[in-house]
Amino acid sequence: RVLSGPHATRMLTDLGAEVIKVEPPTGDMTRFTYPRINSQSTYFVQQNVGKLNVSIDMDQDEGVALAARLIEASDVVVENFRPGVMDRLGLGYSRFAKNCPRLIYTSISGYGATGPWTTRRAYAPVVNAETGITKHQGDVRDGTYANDPHSHGDVYTAVETASAILAALYQRERTGTGQYIDVSMAETMLYINEHAHNQLWDQPVP
């Protein structure tokens, strides 16, 4: 919605994919951020350059039906809602798995589609702290614990998502079958924390 999904699909756009960004009738929230040049949000442009854009009202049955037709015509779907939102809209993977066997359906969320924290809202600074990144940064800055201005949790998750989609496309070329991809921001940040092994021990190893 803000960075993980847009950045992952920006990467796919840069690699030559035709990406259609679906926005609500009011427009993507980052369209209204600053700074602006020629009435365009530079943040929005950076993450969405090269994409096609369509506005669909998901609160209307007609909008959901239109989104379903768009999904059925696509090779890849990337959604960045909290787990369960797409199912409540009637646009979850289970709806398309049988009739669109080549579809690669990708969900990005804070804590994954399964587990006790699936419904928790996730923001990069919170996930950075929970996965040890913030503490490690503070430890090497004389105990000043603060997140730096870059959204590591969002961007690293976007990179992992794009990589997973490319792997799924390659597998589909060999098997003819798509798949469901579940990408978790928290899992990603634990995965890329190369110092996590030091923090797994209660005491130093002799």
Side-chain angles (χ1 to χ4, degrees):
R1 305 249 342 253
V2 178
L3 185 52
S4 290
H7 190 75
T9 49
R10 157 73 192 273
M11 292 177 64
L12 298 177
T13 302
D14 289 342
L15 292 171
E18 181 182 78
V19 175
I20 303 172
K21 180 177 176 66
V22 178
E23 303 182 40
T26 54
D28 186 271
M29 64 178 68
T30 61
R31 284 186 180 273
F32 308 102
T33 59
Y34 289 85
R36 306 174 73 81
I37 296 177
N38 296 328
S39 300
Q40 295 288 324
S41 160
T42 55
Y43 187 100
F44 178 85
V45 171
Q46 178 178 328
Q47 299 303 328
N48 297 288
V49 63
K51 300 176 186 177
L52 303 175
N53 303 79
V54 62
S55 174
I56 299 179
D57 188 350
M58 298 290 193
D59 291 328
Q60 303 296 325
D61 291 341
E62 295 88 345
V64 173
L66 180 59
R69 289 171 56 195
L70 187 60
I71 290 173
E72 291 166 352
S74 299
D75 289 297
V76 178
V77 171
V78 179
E79 62 94 1
N80 197 180
F81 293 109
R82 293 191 310 280
V85 170
M86 290 293 276
D87 287 326
R88 288 198 297 274
L89 290 171
L91 298 172
Y93 177 64
S94 59
R95 172 174 177 173
F96 305 99
K98 182 177 180 180
N99 294 330
C100 304
R102 290 176 57 83
L103 178 66
I104 296 167
Y105 192 110
T106 309
S107 296
I108 306 172
S109 63
Y111 302 98
T114 60
W117 282 7
T118 54
T119 58
R120 244 182 127 193
R121 292 177 182 268
Y123 299 95
V126 175
V127 175
N128 287 349
E130 290 175 335
T131 55
I133 302 297
T134 306
K135 182 181 186 303
H136 184 75
Q137 289 176 333
D139 288 344
V140 299
R141 294 173 182 165
D142 300 320
T144 301
Y145 296 101
N147 286 299
D148 62 42
H150 297 283
S151 298
H152 298 291
D154 288 304
V155 174
Y156 279 122
T157 302
V159 173
E160 294 296 316
T161 300
S163 298
I165 290 171
L166 293 175
L169 286 167
Y170 179 75
Q171 184 180 48
R172 190 180 74 176
E173 288 301 304
R174 300 177 69 94
T175 66
T177 303
Q179 61 184 280
Y180 175 74
I181 299 172
D182 174 24
V183 186
S184 158
M185 186 188 298
E187 188 174 6
T188 296
M189 294 310 290
L190 286 171
Y191 175 66
I192 61 93
N193 182 356
E194 74 270 29
H195 300 286
H197 66 97
N198 290 332
Q199 299 159 0
L200 294 175
W201 306 98
D202 293 329
Q203 57 188 6
V205 178

